[in-house]
Amino acid sequence: MNIEIARPYAFYALFLLIPSSLFTIIHYFRLIKSLKNNFGDTESFVGDQNNSFVLQMLSFRRLKQSLLLREFCRFFAWIFLVFALAGISWGSQAVPVPKTGASVSLVFDISYSMLAPDAPGGVARLTAATEYAGELLERMEGTSVSVVIAKGEGILAVPLTEDRACIKPLLSSLSPKLMSAGGSSLGKGVDEAISSFPAQSSLASSIWVFTDGEETDSRLSSALSNALKYGISVIIIGFGSEHESEVYAGDGTTIVKTALRSAKIRETIKQVQSKKALVKRAKGVKTATIDFVDASELGSALKILGSISAFSDRSDRQRISYEIQMISREGLFTALAVLFFVLSFIIGEADFSLFKKNRAILAAGLVCVLFSSCSSAFDESKSILQGTWNYHQKKYRQATADFLRAIEDSESSQNGTLECYALYNLAATYLMQNETEAATNRLAQLAPDAPDSVRFAAFYNLGIIAHRKGDYAAAADYFKKSLLINSANMNAKINLELSLQQREEARARSGEQQLLPISENEKARTVEDAVFSVIQENDKKQWKSQEKTSTSDSANDY
């Protein structure tokens, strides 16, 4: 397991434990000496525990035990606090980081094997690599570039810059004679390239290694792992022929055989990828990768440039790259330090005589826990714990799945108590999602011999469901049943009174609605009679007026 320490100098604080421990030991032995001088041998008095002198001696003995345990807890509290200050980290996780541009570090292998003239056209591998890199630079508009030369060591020749004009003169002068360190260390070159990128940069970083794959220290694998950890993609560009050719070593007299070790490079990449859990590719997500490209292949340059084209288009869009970062354990050690510090006060006030009196019971309970099937019970109750946590986090779908799993486990193990709690929690989850029918069905499945707390809560919730439906009579009955189990619950009493009151109001309203049509009919008849009488009077008046008019007219006509 890989462990990182951000502030190792914090461990110097552990030396403070030496004077603290010496002070505690001296203080402890002084206390013992004082007790012996004042009370002598106390073993003979232990049997008579009603004697006040013996009781006082027992209290002194408990004081010594509390002192030792208190200092023990504070000792570990200080150790955990130092660990938290040191910034210890282990484990890894993929952290998404937004990227808006691209930066590339060009690593050139300038070992003597790169002088072998087996590149296309019969030129040296190093010459072919510099020409190839020059063509790539012409097509890397808007990309920051740095140059690292690697031989026995890795040296940053050109820091990260967008001025590519200063890089081309260096490419034409690359030679093994630029460095005196012997051997070939591609890993050191990659590590130096990683260091060339600024920390917390918004640029998507990549490393291009121009090499034939010959190395003498086998550090390439660890360097590639470091690159993946920082979210840096690496492309190894191979130069030379697969067939071995002879070249002079650094001493100028020894002849060695060299070739493009593409198979070895691919095997190294495979091993690194198998050790690191890479983030899966997704649409719009750029992840750190390691690839090998043979420079002699058709379209190899397009493949290399395509790896940075998504980041170097000068657009304002942010793309996501994942960095594998270590998980900090500062919070864990801080919590342990606080826990042990609090325990030091609790233990200082503890009475160990109670433990001695009940040690038989505690031992029996411990045996039952150790030798019973506690592992299976824990697995079953684990689902309820997870469901309860999701319930309080308002993740009701996940809580429902957890409680259903707990019900299945309890049925298979025939654990009735666990099934009761799982059924009740599942019904409560349904109730929070306004699925009253499902909640009612689950509460109805509770066994009659369920724990009183579960039965009380079940009747209480059934009363809530009935009240929501407007069935106040049923709600009152459920609240009465809950009070028969727990008569001291004030909420159930209040809900019972409200349900009874609303039941009476509902009955009164129903009686008014039955009498209402009768009153409405009486009013309608009264109005009809009044209208009818008005019509009769109008008809009589009209008839009388017609009689008078006809009489006068007939006289005039005659």
Side-chain angles (χ1 to χ4, degrees), residues 75-317:
F75 180 84
F76 277 95
W78 181 254
I79 291 177
F80 288 131
L81 182 61
V82 171
F83 285 175
L85 293 175
I88 299 177
S89 303
W90 69 78
S92 59
Q93 61 181 353
V95 179
V97 179
K99 301 294 183 180
T100 57
S103 59
V104 178
S105 180
L106 308 179
V107 180
F108 291 94
D109 180 9
I110 60 171
S111 59
Y112 281 95
S113 63
M114 292 293 288
L115 296 180
D118 56 358
V123 299
R125 301 172 186 173
L126 185 57
T127 303
T130 55
E131 294 177 354
Y132 194 95
E135 294 295 330
L136 293 176
L137 286 173
E138 293 293 336
R139 296 164 176 82
M140 294 170 61
E141 182 68 26
T143 303
S144 300
V145 181
S146 65
V147 178
V148 174
I149 55 177
K151 193 181 174 188
E153 295 288 341
I155 296 178
L156 180 63
V158 178
L160 204 63
T161 180
E162 292 188 7
D163 185 8
R164 292 182 298 280
C166 65
I167 298 177
K168 292 182 179 180
L170 174 64
L171 298 181
S172 59
S173 61
L174 289 181
S175 170
K177 297 180 180 179
L178 292 178
M179 297 179 65
S180 59
S184 178
S185 180
L186 300 177
K188 292 181 180 180
V190 173
D191 287 334
E192 186 64 27
I194 295 174
S195 302
S196 68
F197 298 114
Q200 307 298 330
S201 175
S202 63
L203 301 177
S205 303
S206 301
I207 298 175
W208 296 349
V209 183
F210 300 84
T211 182
D212 55 7
E214 296 279 8
E215 60 173 342
T216 57
D217 58 0
S218 301
R219 295 187 56 175
L220 180 59
S221 178
S222 61
L224 294 178
S225 299
N226 291 334
L228 287 181
K229 182 178 67 174
Y230 292 109
I232 301 174
S233 298
V234 181
I235 298 179
I236 301 177
I237 308 170
F239 292 88
S241 174
E242 298 284 350
H243 301 286
E244 290 186 343
S245 58
E246 295 182 349
V247 67
Y248 285 102
D251 57 4
T253 57
T254 305
I255 297 177
V256 295
K257 293 184 177 181
T258 178
L260 174 59
R261 309 298 181 184
S262 59
K264 181 180 178 181
I265 296 173
R266 288 190 173 94
E267 182 64 25
T268 302
I269 294 174
K270 184 178 180 181
Q271 292 177 358
V272 173
Q273 290 176 340
S274 63
K275 293 179 182 179
K276 292 291 182 180
L278 299 180
V279 181
K280 294 182 179 180
R281 288 181 178 270
K283 185 176 180 181
V285 175
K286 179 67 177 177
T287 59
T289 59
I290 304 176
D291 295 313
F292 172 76
V293 175
D294 192 339
S296 60
E297 293 179 358
L298 185 63
S300 60
L302 294 177
K303 181 179 180 180
I304 297 170
L305 293 173
S307 64
I308 63 169
S309 60
F311 297 99
S312 59
D313 56 0
R314 287 298 187 179
S315 64
D316 295 333
R317 294 178 298 169

Side-chain angles (χ1 to χ4, degrees), residues 73-74 76-84 330-344:
C73 290
R74 292 182 179 179
F76 277 95
W78 181 254
I79 291 177
F80 288 131
L81 182 61
V82 171
F83 285 175
E330 293 182 10
L332 172 63
F333 288 117
T334 302
L336 289 174
V338 173
L339 175 63
F340 274 86
F341 186 71
V342 173
L343 279 177
S344 67

Side-chain angles (χ1 to χ4, degrees), residues 199 201 273 369 421 537:
S201 175
Q273 290 176 340
V369 171
Y421 285 105
E537 291 178 359

Side-chain angles (χ1 to χ4, degrees), residues 455-477:
R455 292 174 56 240
F456 168 80
F459 287 130
Y460 186 90
N461 284 342
L462 286 172
I464 296 296
I465 294 173
H467 190 277
R468 287 183 179 179
K469 293 181 178 180
D471 191 354
Y472 303 116
D477 292 337

Side-chain angles (χ1 to χ4, degrees), residues 380 407-419:
E380 294 172 357
I407 293 173
E408 295 177 356
D409 295 339
S410 62
E411 291 176 351
S412 60
S413 62
Q414 297 181 353
N415 191 336
T417 304
L418 181 66
E419 183 180 4

